[in-house]
Amino acid sequence: MKLDASRAVGAYAAVTTLAVVWLILGANAGPNAATFDTIDVQRINVREPDGTLRMTIASRDRMPGIIVAGRETPHPDRPQAGMIFYNDEGTENGGLVFSGALKDGKPTNLGALSFDRWRQDQTVSLSSDEAGDKRQAGLAINDRPDRPVDFATVARLVRQPASVERDAAIRAAGVGIAPRAFLGRTEDKASVLALRDANGRKRLELKVAANGHATIDFLNDQGHVARSITDVNR
């Protein structure tokens, strides 16, 4: 089946938004249901009866920070509007974000659906990203550290000037990533399936270049191609 990341993200956004609006506008009529012709807001919070936050729909300027067990800390970099999902304890565990505009005369556009590890960063993401003539779209799978992120410490550290010591402290606070798989379109207009080991080292890549040239590369521990199979060998 053909994977079109931008259409998949757009379809998910449309279906999810319609479902949320259907619930909010009282499609399941009850004693507390209300009906509106139009709702024009900057943010909607969906909560459990006990107050636990389960989802936020917000404009760019009203997007929440990072919320863990109901406690919020500033997000270091989330300049998009969208939806944020929260698990049973009120901790962020994924979301759907989107942005786009002409910047310096060049088009920029982003749509991303992602899901996180428990009290960690995203492990699965479906995204379409464009910045001028650089475009990438695909499905990515990542490993994250086994320990939770110390979000409060990270929020404090990212405001400090970049240094080797700061970066080491951020890693010690539980921030880290080991890419494991990617399927999609790369900036050089190729279609790629790349598989990596537990240390994030690329070990196998299936690639069809923009000119139609196809290759299968096996890579060693140093990231060098140890063996290559191409369509020229047929």
Side-chain angles (χ1 to χ4, degrees):
M1 182 173 64
K2 183 180 179 181
L3 174 66
D4 188 324
S6 60
R7 290 183 180 178
V9 170
Y12 182 90
V15 171
T16 305
T17 302
L18 287 173
V20 171
V21 171
W22 179 75
L23 290 172
I24 293 173
L25 297 186
N28 291 325
N32 297 318
T35 300
F36 305 91
D37 292 330
T38 302
I39 295 179
D40 191 347
V41 299
Q42 296 185 44
R43 176 164 162 174
I44 296 173
N45 291 333
V46 178
R47 297 182 182 273
E48 299 288 357
D50 65 0
T52 301
L53 184 63
R54 298 307 304 270
M55 182 167 68
T56 292
I57 305 173
S59 65
R60 179 194 62 200
D61 293 338
R62 293 300 305 276
M63 285 287 274
I66 300 171
I67 299 178
V68 178
R71 183 176 181 180
E72 183 173 354
T73 57
H75 197 290
D77 182 28
R78 185 151 61 193
Q80 303 96 14
M83 305 178 187
I84 305 298
F85 312 135
Y86 301 91
N87 63 18
D88 294 346
E89 65 176 23
T91 295
E92 182 175 332
N93 68 348
L96 171 67
V97 297
F98 39 87
S99 63
L102 280 175
K103 295 183 178 180
D104 300 324
K106 297 180 179 180
T108 65
N109 208 58
L110 169 70
L113 169 67
S114 63
F115 297 95
D116 306 338
R117 281 199 69 181
W118 180 77
R119 297 195 181 188
Q120 259 289 346
D121 210 338
Q122 62 192 37
T123 54
V124 177
S125 64
L126 180 65
S127 65
S128 177
D129 193 4
E130 177 180 0
D133 59 355
K134 295 181 178 180
R135 289 181 289 141
Q136 180 170 297
L139 173 68
I141 299 174
N142 305 310
D143 276 345
R144 297 289 179 176
D146 291 333
R147 62 188 183 281
V149 173
D150 183 346
F151 291 102
T153 297
V154 173
R156 174 177 55 81
L157 290 171
V158 296
R159 293 193 294 268
Q160 298 179 5
S163 67
V164 174
E165 292 75 16
R166 188 205 68 164
D167 292 345
I170 289 176
R171 289 192 298 271
V175 174
I177 182 173
R180 297 305 304 269
F182 175 80
L183 171 63
R185 179 212 194 266
T186 56
E187 291 183 358
D188 60 1
K189 301 181 181 180
S191 297
V192 170
L193 171 61
L195 304 178
R196 299 172 179 264
D197 62 22
N199 294 313
R201 296 174 297 196
K202 188 186 299 183
R203 305 308 297 263
L204 176 65
E205 181 178 82
L206 289 75
K207 181 176 183 178
V208 178
N211 63 5
H213 182 57
T215 58
I216 302 175
D217 290 335
F218 299 85
L219 295 90
N220 59 24
D221 292 346
Q222 287 73 44
H224 301 140
V225 176
R227 182 188 176 197
S228 184
I229 301 173
T230 74
D231 53 1
V232 177
N233 296 335
R234 293 182 301 175

